[in-house]
Amino acid sequence: MGIREVKRELDPLTSAQLFLPVLTLSFFLLVPLIYMVARAFFHKGSLSLYYFSSLLENPDFIRNPPNLNFLRVSNTSLGTFMFIGDMGPDLGILMNSIVVSAFVTLFSAILGLVSAFIIARYNFPGKSVFRILLLVPMLATPFVNAFVMGKVLGTNGLFNFIFHDVLHLLPVKVQISGLPAIVLIQTISFFPIVYLNVMSSLIGIDPSMEEQAESLGAGGFRIFRDITLPLSMPGLAAGSALVFIISLEDLGAPIGLSGAFGSGLHQRLISFYIYNEFRKGLGSVEQVHASTYASAVIMLFMATAVFILIRKYVTLRRYAMISKGGRFNPRVRKLGWKGVVLAYIFLISLISAASFPQIGTFVLAVTDWAYSGSPLPTELTSKFIESLFERPDVLRAITNSLIYSSAATFIMLLAGTSSAYVIARRRIPGKDFLDSLVTIPIAVPGVILAVGYLLFFSSYASQSMLDPFINPGLLLIFTYTVRRIPFTTRSVFAGLQQTHESLEEASLNLGAGRGRTFVSIVIPLISQSVIGGSLLSFVYSMNEVSTSITLSSLRPEQGPITFYMSQVVYSSGAVGTVSIAAALAVLLMTIQLIVMTISTKILKQRVAFLGV
């Protein structure tokens, strides 16, 4: 491409559209991360692997030999119990995180693939209902969902009450905690991510390819193995990679289980380790040990490595296409009565187990279940819902979330629309770099970004509005922006793909400038995608967990909803405060349902709630 063509493409509008996202993502994503990585590799003023080697030699970080105890049976005053996970396994903080994320990814891939194949490939009564119910686990209930599962799986929990005390199906009572509980909670929360991505891939498969294999004598399983599964791999790979990264950074499960079980092996994960070390440095950055930076770099390396492995599937172009679905009528068959029975058994069992955290959260919000001391609630109450409008600390958290999320959504709207338009319409050098830049936040765990902000802005913006010890709320706006901008950009990019360039070219040929064409032609044509992306970004920001609870610990009065929820679930001793967190979760779910309704009914869009 010649210099003249580049100058023609880089008109004032395009230059501004390039400048805004590149500046935002460079200053609030790349620079803090690079600075954190650099700090981790320096010891006493020189380049060194000292902090990494000290971590790897730490028996808490990598346990040698590992504790592989999985279960034990013990007689207690409440009866004979089978304890799963309370004494092990424990392979050390690093290996625990890798193993947990690997198992969550494996189980989520299996459940997501099977459920997507059933929904995409077969017709049966109630299919549309199951399609919707499979998304219920993605409704945001941070921290509270793990607390609910702790109430269910505990010694005096609902599971033992039903299956041991009432139905007498179990010879002993069961308690599940530690790493097995983490795997269970994360799997039922994250498998819909794989389900949505695989579903999109299956819908986009040309049915003639499967029909040709069938005409050549291939049976159902062989068609699935040789044709359907390979063609659905982009969705399966992208969904599985997202699950691995989200599982690796998840703080909701270990903090929620801490509220139900107290400290335990569920805290021996790298995400919780970094968060806990971060909280020790509330006074100054010097109180955060440099090994925390090293562990953050290790976590960043693992997430980035997974992202690079599936890079060809999650570029903005491919990522947008996955969300749109295909051009073909998918190959769908009607199930016989035996198939319907098997499908019902699988889907009802899966949905019942996966939706229980959301159901339990609602029960916590309107009953005394959190402190009743019994497996079941004993009375209804509206005081926890009313507290959302009466308690000053709760109102402050809600107000903070609304302000931060609205401001971040506005920035994402400008930067995301600009970057999507440049990638979709302009032919300039460096466009692929912009594509990578707006996609890579998917691979960056929020707690890592929070550590990078602490280091960089406390060093170079001390005593200013960007000092995390003075104004973490402002930094939260930018963390929301950079972490959620891929989904805004994806939505707008998908809208641009569905709009032909000829309308813009006609406007330019009639004498309108690029700026006027963009405002008068492009924006109205993609307005539904812009609104849908903005709503989606707003919900994602309201539900943001890891950066919210980490940065807000520096100034709790500036904390959003999720920070307040983490505090009352993790360390509350007051009766009923966990139920207030449940009421806040009900509020978040309500907002999410409203956005889903607007997107599907009014804007005629289907949005995927990844819930990170």
Side-chain angles (χ1 to χ4, degrees):
M1 191 174 187
I3 296 177
R4 181 175 300 177
E5 289 82 1
V6 172
K7 287 183 177 180
R8 185 178 65 248
E9 290 289 319
L10 283 175
D11 56 84
L13 174 65
T14 304
S15 299
Q17 289 177 323
L18 268 175
F19 178 76
L20 179 59
V22 169
L23 176 66
T24 302
L25 290 166
S26 296
F27 190 66
F28 291 102
L29 177 68
L30 296 183
V31 172
L33 292 179
I34 292 171
Y35 184 74
M36 180 194 70
V37 172
R39 284 287 297 267
F41 280 97
F42 276 85
H43 175 60
K44 295 183 178 179
S46 60
L47 189 65
S48 172
L49 296 176
Y50 172 80
Y51 297 118
F52 295 95
S53 60
S54 63
L55 271 180
L56 298 179
E57 293 169 1
N58 185 346
D60 284 334
F61 211 70
I62 298 180
R63 183 166 180 168
N64 188 21
N67 170 17
L68 299 179
N69 295 325
F70 187 80
L71 60 87
R72 66 184 178 92
V73 179
S74 178
N75 293 318
T76 70
S77 58
L78 297 175
T80 303
F81 275 86
M82 178 184 291
F83 293 95
I84 300 175
D86 70 323
M87 301 295 291
D90 182 12
L91 295 82
I93 292 171
L94 177 61
M95 292 306 300
N96 284 348
S97 300
I98 295 174
V99 170
V100 165
S101 296
F103 273 109
V104 171
T105 302
L106 174 62
F107 296 148
S108 297
I110 294 172
L111 294 176
L113 177 63
V114 174
S115 55
F117 186 79
I118 292 173
I119 297 297
R121 284 292 185 262
Y122 296 105
N123 275 331
F124 52 90
K127 172 181 172 177
S128 58
V129 176
F130 285 117
R131 185 199 296 267
I132 296 172
L133 292 179
L134 281 167
L135 299 180
V136 170
M138 302 190 77
L139 294 176
T141 54
F143 312 106
V144 185
N145 60 346
F147 180 87
V148 169
M149 295 307 294
K151 288 278 291 182
V152 172
L153 303 174
T155 54
N156 193 34
L158 186 61
F159 181 85
N160 286 321
F161 175 74
I162 294 175
F163 292 99
H164 182 273
D165 298 343
V166 177
L167 300 178
H168 305 292
L169 296 178
L170 296 176
V172 296
K173 292 186 176 182
V174 178
Q175 175 185 292
I176 305 177
S177 59
L179 301 187
I182 294 284
V183 171
L184 174 61
I185 293 167
Q186 290 187 349
T187 298
I188 63 177
S189 299
F190 302 152
F191 86 87
I193 297 174
V194 180
Y195 160 75
L196 285 171
N197 281 275
V198 174
M199 172 77 80
S200 295
S201 289
L202 288 172
I203 293 174
I205 294 175
D206 185 349
S208 65
M209 304 183 72
E210 296 172 319
E211 292 166 358
Q212 290 173 19
E214 189 175 45
S215 66
L216 293 173
F221 178 75
R222 187 170 183 184
I223 292 175
F224 173 79
R225 184 192 67 188
D226 296 341
I227 305 296
T228 308
L229 183 59
L231 290 176
S232 64
M233 281 305 296
L236 182 60
S240 298
L242 286 172
V243 168
F244 184 91
I245 294 170
I246 294 170
S247 170
L248 189 66
E249 76 150 353
D250 180 49
L251 283 168
I255 290 178
L257 288 176
S258 297
F261 292 115
S263 60
L265 292 178
H266 51 265
Q267 295 181 352
R268 290 180 60 77
L269 297 168
I270 192 170
S271 58
F272 190 87
Y273 171 80
I274 296 171
Y275 165 71
N276 203 39
E277 290 296 314
F278 190 98
R279 293 173 70 244
K280 294 178 182 178
L282 298 183
S284 66
V285 70
E286 288 77 16
Q287 294 178 355
V288 181
H289 195 271
S291 62
T292 306
Y293 317 148
S295 57
V297 171
I298 292 174
M299 185 177 178
L300 179 62
F301 171 79
M302 290 190 293
T304 305
V306 172
F307 177 80
I308 291 173
L309 287 175
I310 50 93
R311 181 69 179 91
K312 64 179 180 179
Y313 296 137
V314 294
T315 62
L316 182 59
R317 295 179 180 86
R318 181 62 193 172
Y319 201 46
M321 289 301 293
I322 286 175
S323 71
K324 287 172 59 181
R327 297 167 295 172
F328 314 104
N329 292 322
R331 175 185 168 92
V332 180
R333 291 183 173 181
K334 187 175 181 179
L335 277 177
W337 71 268
K338 291 182 180 179
V340 171
V341 170
L342 291 176
Y344 278 6
I345 291 174
F346 174 78
L347 292 174
I348 292 174
S349 300
L350 177 60
I351 291 170
S352 298
S355 302
F356 199 87
Q358 283 69 29
I359 298 171
T361 297
F362 181 78
V363 173
L364 275 179
V366 297
T367 69
D368 65 341
W369 191 32
Y371 56 91
S372 65
S374 67
L376 296 171
T378 59
E379 66 175 351
L380 290 171
T381 178
S382 61
K383 62 182 180 180
F384 304 120
I385 299 295
E386 293 171 358
S387 68
L388 302 184
F389 310 98
E390 296 175 352
R391 289 186 52 151
D393 55 343
V394 178
L395 284 172
R396 183 176 61 200
I398 295 174
T399 302
N400 289 343
S401 280
L402 291 173
I403 293 174
Y404 302 159
S405 300
S406 299
T409 301
F410 177 73
I411 300 173
M412 280 185 277
L413 179 62
L414 296 178
T417 303
S418 298
S419 56
Y421 186 74
V422 170
I423 295 169
R425 293 290 195 261
R426 303 267 63 83
R427 292 177 291 274
I428 56 175
K431 185 169 67 172
D432 289 339
F433 170 75
L434 180 61
D435 183 0
S436 299
L437 189 61
V438 297
T439 307
I440 201 170
I442 298 169
V444 180
V447 67
I448 305 303
L449 191 59
V451 173
Y453 275 32
L454 172 70
L455 274 174
F456 178 73
F457 289 108
S458 64
S459 299
Y460 292 98
S462 180
Q463 302 302 312
S464 73
M465 290 296 292
L466 291 175
D467 188 335
F469 291 98
I470 295 176
N471 194 17
L474 181 59
L475 291 179
L476 283 177
I477 293 174
F478 290 106
T479 60
Y480 293 174
T481 299
V482 299
R483 277 180 51 75
R484 303 311 181 191
I485 197 172
F487 306 107
T488 306
T489 311
R490 180 186 71 169
S491 178
V492 176
F493 185 86
L496 287 167
Q497 282 188 314
Q498 296 170 341
T499 305
H500 202 275
E501 293 183 56
S502 59
L503 296 172
E504 299 168 55
E505 293 169 353
S507 175
L508 293 172
N509 291 335
L510 291 172
R514 287 199 186 275
R516 185 174 181 182
T517 298
F518 181 75
V519 174
S520 302
I521 304 297
V522 177
I523 293 298
L525 289 174
I526 63 170
S527 58
Q528 288 190 351
S529 297
V530 172
I531 296 171
S534 301
L535 292 173
L536 189 60
S537 301
F538 179 80
V539 169
Y540 282 152
S541 299
M542 290 287 289
N543 299 339
E544 168 65 30
V545 171
S546 50
T547 53
S548 294
I549 68 173
T550 308
L551 287 174
S552 297
S553 61
L554 302 175
R555 294 290 296 271
E557 70 276 8
Q558 295 187 20
I561 289 175
T562 49
F563 173 74
Y564 183 89
M565 294 170 67
S566 72
Q567 295 300 102
V568 299
V569 172
Y570 180 44
S571 58
S572 173
V575 171
T577 50
V578 170
S579 295
I580 297 177
L584 285 168
V586 171
L587 174 64
L588 292 177
M589 285 193 290
T590 302
I591 294 173
Q592 200 166 356
L593 287 170
I594 291 172
V595 169
M596 290 175 69
T597 302
I598 293 174
S599 297
T600 56
K601 300 297 184 182
I602 300 177
L603 301 180
K604 307 300 181 184
Q605 294 178 335
R606 289 183 178 179
V607 293
F609 284 84
L610 302 182
V612 185

